[in-house]
Structures are given as structure tokens and as C-alpha cells.
Amino acid sequence: MNKGFTLLEVLIYVAIFAIVLGFLSSILIITTRVEMRESAAAEVTQQSSYVIQTIQRLVRESSQIEEASSSLILRPLYASKDKTTIRLSGGVIYLREGSSNPEIALTSDKVTVNSLSFQKFSNPPGKDVVEINIMMTFKSDN
């Protein structure tokens, strides 16, 4: 007595295996895309929060907002220090504290800052307030 599989049974098993493999592959691809999208969103959120918190701290520590348009120029509390400048150049936000210090990038190469603008609101006799408008995107090949 011969025991084994017929050609029809083998073809059915191979077809079922191929269908299951196709479903598992599509689930893996979708999961990977969602993970990449969530990672990009987290990176943009983290960097924008860092930039906004840094600017808020600098404004809080300043004595005067000298300019608020495409760049932000702040005067420090102490006259011994020079002005602080925040500006956008080439998709990167730069900070310079004092004229002799080098510029420091506030954003990494993982994101591109598409726009950055500031608007000053006077609040006499209190401190002035700055509105920050920032648009940031994740750098990706997709």
C-alpha cells in the first residue's frame, strides 16, 4: 500500500501556504509603515517642543524683545552680555548668544523647518510676549 500525497493535495497545500504567506507579508509591511510614521511624528514633536521651550526660556530671561519677525533678537537682563538671536537658515533653526559666540543648531538633520516667524505683543507695564509660528517636517525618502 502506497502512503503519500497526490499531486492535487500538494497543489492545494502549496496554494494555502502561499495565501497565508501573502497575508502575513502584507501585515508586516503595514506594521512597518505605521511604525515609521509614528517614529517620524515623535521626532518632529520632540524637536518642536525643544525649540519652543528653549525660546520660551530665552524670552523669559531677557529684558527686552528687540525684533520679532523672521528672526528673534532679545536683549539680556545683564548689560555685560550681548544680544541673543534666533533665526532660520536652510531649514535649520540657529541660536547665537552674543556676537562672539558661534551659532548653535537647535534642530537636528532629521527634520526640516519649513517656516519660522515671531510676533511681538506689548503688554505694558508687564513683559512683552512673543508668538511663535513654526512648521517642521520629517526628512524622509518617502
Side-chain angles (χ1 to χ4, degrees), residues 110-124:
K110 294 181 181 179
V111 297
T112 300
V113 180
N114 304 92
S115 67
L116 176 68
S117 64
F118 304 97
Q119 186 174 359
K120 175 183 171 181
F121 294 99
S122 296
N123 190 20

Side-chain angles (χ1 to χ4, degrees), residues 1-88:
M1 197 172 265
N2 276 346
K3 292 187 176 182
F5 297 107
T6 65
L7 181 61
L8 183 61
E9 289 174 328
V10 171
L11 289 176
I12 290 173
Y13 294 142
V14 168
I16 291 172
F17 180 74
I19 291 171
V20 170
L21 188 62
F23 283 136
L24 291 177
S25 296
S26 65
I27 289 171
L28 180 65
I29 290 170
I30 290 170
T31 304
T32 304
R33 285 183 186 163
V34 169
E35 182 181 343
M36 289 174 57
R37 190 175 306 131
E38 291 299 317
S39 174
E43 183 69 29
V44 169
T45 301
Q46 178 186 12
Q47 290 208 28
S48 61
S49 293
Y50 173 73
V51 168
I52 289 172
Q53 288 174 359
T54 301
I55 294 171
Q56 286 174 338
R57 178 184 55 81
L58 292 169
V59 168
R60 204 172 31 250
E61 294 173 354
S62 69
S63 65
Q64 178 187 5
I65 300 168
E66 188 174 299
E67 178 186 327
S69 56
S70 61
S71 62
L72 181 66
I73 301 174
L74 306 169
R75 289 285 173 192
L77 286 172
Y78 306 106
S80 61
K81 288 185 166 183
D82 202 3
K83 64 185 175 182
T84 299
T85 305
I86 300 165
R87 67 181 188 89
L88 174 65

